[in-house]
Amino acid sequence: MIDIVTLDEHFIVVNKPSCLLSVPGRGPDKQDCLSARVQREFPDALTVHRLDMETSGLMVFARGIDAQRALGRAFEQRLVRKRYEAIIDGLLATDTGTVDLPLICDWPNRPRQMVSHELGKPSITHFAVIARDRQLVRTRVSLMPVTGRSHQLRVHMAALGHPIVGDSLYAATPPAPGERLLLHAAELSFPHPRTGEAVTVRSAVPF
């Protein structure tokens, strides 16, 4: 069963649950994924982008190769706008800001990524505080990535000293059993692959 948010002749937007792969991984135990589930119902669906396995929220699939090319160009040209919602540890001091820290894969510890000013690729994330929970000492934030590096939001928040709650890779203490990563792709805007008109899709945050 897939959670279809928007269905169009040229694309499909679905909600990915947390702890489901976006695309198949290596090995027979990693073949169940969102792309396979979508393609079982819509054989013309093609992958355009990915979310981390632990991240939930909106993913767009192209319907057909022409739509895939158009949406792929939109991602490459940064015409796609993404807004995530997360809960981070600690009380963020500023209401808005930008993290500009280059990232590269930490090969000995992959899939971890790390900040590297010498070798990293440019990585930029804008953030804005939604609410501060002084009792739990946590902050709910909107995260707007300009670039789309692997684990970008997770590394950038950890680099600020405020890792995302439930992060098994970058938090100082491991999450409790059954605790998910509190990161959700809540809003996605992109040009329609045929008409070029702006399409904006939103998803309710499940935490």
Side-chain angles (χ1 to χ4, degrees):
M1 190 79 176
I2 57 175
D3 181 5
I4 299 173
V5 180
T6 302
L7 180 60
D8 183 273
E9 184 182 352
H10 301 279
F11 65 85
I12 307 163
V13 180
V14 299
N15 256 324
K16 187 186 85 67
S18 177
C19 296
L20 177 69
L21 290 167
S22 294
V23 297
R26 293 181 181 176
D29 60 328
K30 295 183 176 63
Q31 297 310 295
D32 182 30
C33 60
L34 187 62
S35 64
R37 294 183 185 186
V38 171
Q39 286 163 359
R40 278 197 291 270
E41 291 195 34
F42 303 93
D44 61 348
L46 298 171
T47 303
V48 178
H49 67 124
R50 306 179 186 188
L51 293 177
D52 289 350
M53 184 177 75
E54 296 90 346
T55 304
S56 60
L58 297 170
M59 277 185 63
V60 59
F61 289 84
R63 300 190 69 181
I65 189 66
D66 290 340
Q68 186 188 42
R69 287 174 180 147
L71 287 170
R73 282 195 299 270
F75 273 91
E76 290 171 6
Q77 296 170 6
R78 297 183 183 173
L79 301 177
V80 178
R81 298 287 177 262
K82 295 167 282 186
R83 187 186 74 83
Y84 294 73
E85 200 161 309
I87 296 179
I88 59 176
D89 276 323
L91 300 176
L92 201 56
T94 56
D95 289 340
T96 60
T98 298
V99 183
D100 184 355
L101 293 172
L103 302 179
I104 191 172
C105 181
D106 183 3
W107 280 104
N109 301 298
R110 59 187 182 276
R112 284 179 58 94
Q113 308 292 308
M114 64 180 186
V115 175
S116 173
H117 293 281
E118 294 77 24
L119 302 173
K121 294 181 179 180
S123 307
I124 300 171
T125 302
H126 302 305
F127 65 84
V129 170
I130 299 172
R132 294 179 177 87
D133 188 327
R134 300 188 183 279
Q135 185 174 356
L136 293 177
V137 196
R138 291 177 172 180
T139 306
R140 183 180 290 270
V141 291
S142 280
L143 302 175
M144 290 74 70
V146 177
T147 51
R149 310 300 178 201
S150 181
H151 295 184
Q152 175 176 316
L153 303 179
R154 298 165 67 179
V155 179
H156 277 176
M157 291 301 99
L160 287 182
H162 298 281
I164 298 173
V165 173
D167 197 325
S168 60
L169 291 178
Y170 304 102
T173 56
E179 185 180 22
R180 61 156 291 181
L181 177 72
L182 298 186
L183 177 63
H184 182 77
E187 189 170 324
L188 187 64
S189 299
F190 55 91
H192 190 285
R194 185 180 67 82
T195 67
E197 294 181 4
V199 177
T200 299
V201 185
R202 296 178 179 87
S203 168
V205 180
F207 51 78

